[in-house]
Amino acid sequence: MTRRVLVTGGAGFLGSHLIDALLERGHEVLCVDNLFTGSKQNIYHLHNNPKFEFLRHDVCFPLYVEVDEIYNLACPASPIHYQHDPVQTTKTSVHGAINLLGLAKRLKCKILQASTSEIYGDPHTHPQTEEYWGNVNPIGPRSCYDEGKRCAETLFFDYHRQHGLEIKVARIFNTYGPRMNSSDGRVVSNFIVQSLKDEPITIYGEGEQTRSFCYVSDLVEGLIKLMESPSDFTGPVNLGNPNEFTIRELAEKVRNMTHSSADLIQMPLPTDDPKQRQPDIRLARQVLDWAPEVQLDEGLRETIDYFKTVV
Ligand code: NAD
Ligand code: UDP
């Protein structure tokens, strides 16, 4: 059935791919974004699509629109950007959640929250299951993002318990692909851009910290399956690719795939940088019948081809 879908943060990396997938399924989409880290370029190809609408708006302020379901993705996601104005980052997660939950309550519609593996902090259990409560520094430079997202999860579950709202909470692990912002400092985009320019590849610390990288098409499929899951399934559910790599392995892989002669150099490790991260996706497999299909080499090839057109 065709639905009117609101996607906040829709001009960003994940949001713009989600919108493409929703439009392909025949839905109407309202994209709400304040263009802090997103760009009109990411949604430019949609400007003549009668089923697509863009509204420039900051989710920290109330929003009055009529839709059938809501994906809440609005929030800067890279450390450089979320630490640029940390108070605004917390406000975006917390006030944004309150405003959109209020909208969902008035409309009696489903609402999905883009939460994050960062709510596990620097984890003591490995891989991370949804039962793990996390190891998060409440007062460090990453806290504005981590604690903001944790508080948003709290608000989602309180609206669910207190007001009977149908909620869906996705804990998204590191995702990459075309339309990543080349200047937001995330590791995949940094390494590809540096390799393509034959500039030094900046490994923070020893490069022994690990991450598990999910290709954007897999992630979007997971978000949509979660939104369409049975009404009593709230999550939180991990969405990510469990194949784990050290940051040094990633650097070497990107350098080889781009045939680059860039040097690998070490830079200081950022404060509170998690040492390891890998999603346990058994819940997503079982309830959503979802698992990632695109492995790192294939996803990197697509992403490298994209960055060749923009750098
Ligand atoms: P992004 O920065 O590309 O997209 C975020 C979008 O939100 C941008 O378009 C930005 O302009 C918009 N935005 C920020 N503050 C806003 C505000 N106050 N009002 C309206 N719009 C606002 O990042 P992304 O990677 O696409 O991330 C999207 C969502 O997924 C975020 O909520 C992020 O926390 C979550 N997430 C992403 C990843 C990942 O690896 N990409 C991992 C975990 C969680
Ligand atoms: N990183 C790195 N070099 C870079 C950018 C990031 O070594 O140029 C490291 C960073 O310290 C972290 C990992 O790569 O250990 C992933 O960083 P990113 O900012 O992409 O995501 P997050 O830390 O939020 O997982």
Side-chain angles (χ1 to χ4, degrees):
M1 197 180 67
T2 303
R3 291 186 298 275
R4 293 165 303 172
V5 186
L6 167 61
V7 178
T8 73
F13 159 54
L14 291 184
S16 63
H17 285 281
L18 173 64
I19 289 174
D20 287 344
L22 292 167
L23 289 168
E24 267 166 35
R25 284 165 168 80
H27 302 307
E28 290 177 17
V29 176
L30 171 60
C31 167
V32 164
D33 201 299
N34 70 350
L35 300 179
F36 172 45
T37 53
S39 86
K40 284 191 194 161
Q41 199 58 41
N42 288 339
I43 47 172
Y44 183 74
H45 58 290
L46 303 174
H47 78 280
N48 274 333
N49 187 328
K51 292 195 162 183
F52 175 75
E53 203 175 347
F54 172 70
L55 175 64
R56 188 167 182 153
H57 173 83
D58 185 326
V59 295
C60 295
F61 298 96
L63 178 66
Y64 296 91
V65 294
E66 308 303 315
V67 291
D68 302 313
E69 60 189 32
I70 302 171
Y71 288 85
N72 184 31
L73 274 65
C75 186
S78 81
I80 288 182
H81 283 138
Y82 70 63
Q83 290 170 18
H84 168 74
D85 184 350
V87 173
Q88 175 66 19
T89 300
T90 304
K91 277 188 188 171
T92 294
S93 278
V94 177
H95 292 191
I98 291 171
N99 288 326
L100 289 152
L101 286 161
L103 178 65
K105 185 176 157 221
R106 173 174 71 79
L107 298 173
K108 298 185 176 52
C109 76
K110 273 191 280 193
I111 178 165
L112 181 149
Q113 167 68 356
S115 191
T116 168
S117 53
E118 285 285 318
I119 68 105
Y120 299 123
D122 193 2
H124 287 143
T125 66
H126 196 72
Q128 291 80 56
T129 63
E130 291 83 354
E131 286 75 38
Y132 181 53
W133 288 354
N135 173 41
V136 177
N137 177 355
I139 57 167
R142 297 175 85 101
S143 311
C144 58
Y145 183 72
D146 301 7
E147 297 290 14
K149 288 284 189 179
R150 287 170 70 95
C151 184
E153 286 201 11
T154 306
L155 286 161
F156 267 68
F157 277 85
D158 282 335
Y159 268 77
H160 172 66
R161 282 185 290 256
Q162 199 175 329
H163 300 298
L165 211 64
E166 189 177 338
I167 60 158
K168 310 282 179 188
V169 175
R171 290 187 180 151
I172 302 170
F173 283 63
N174 298 64
T175 302
Y176 68 100
R179 300 190 201 143
M180 288 182 91
N181 180 330
S182 60
S183 59
D184 77 5
R186 279 188 265 192
V187 68
V188 173
S189 43
N190 263 12
F191 286 1
I192 293 177
V193 171
Q194 290 162 345
S195 297
L196 290 175
K197 291 182 166 173
D198 282 331
E199 288 173 357
I201 300 179
T202 52
I203 294 180
Y204 299 163
E206 300 289 320
E208 293 308 311
Q209 71 273 36
T210 68
R211 293 292 186 273
S212 309
F213 299 101
C214 185
Y215 190 63
V216 62
S217 58
D218 282 332
L219 198 278
V220 163
E221 190 66 29
L223 290 178
I224 293 175
K225 281 194 161 182
L226 174 57
M227 184 62 106
E228 290 171 358
S229 62
S231 59
D232 61 349
F233 183 67
T234 57
V237 59
N238 290 337
L239 295 178
N241 189 321
N243 286 344
E244 186 182 359
F245 296 85
T246 67
I247 293 305
R248 186 170 291 279
E249 282 170 335
L250 177 74
E252 282 163 1
K253 194 180 264 298
V254 169
R255 185 170 62 173
N256 290 339
M257 290 179 72
T258 51
H259 310 291
S260 172
S261 56
D263 293 328
L264 302 185
I265 61 162
Q266 274 181 232
M267 309 262 285
L269 190 66
T271 309
D272 294 337
D273 198 275
K275 284 180 264 318
Q276 52 182 9
R277 195 183 276 159
Q278 187 200 73
D280 181 322
I281 59 163
R282 279 174 297 177
L283 184 64
R285 282 183 195 277
Q286 185 198 323
V287 181
L288 308 179
D289 188 26
W290 175 87
E293 288 173 359
V294 181
Q295 293 314 324
L296 189 59
D297 282 40
E298 188 187 345
L300 282 178
R301 258 193 301 278
E302 297 287 331
T303 314
I304 290 167
D305 285 347
Y306 165 77
F307 276 108
K308 280 181 183 165
T309 68
V310 293
V311 298

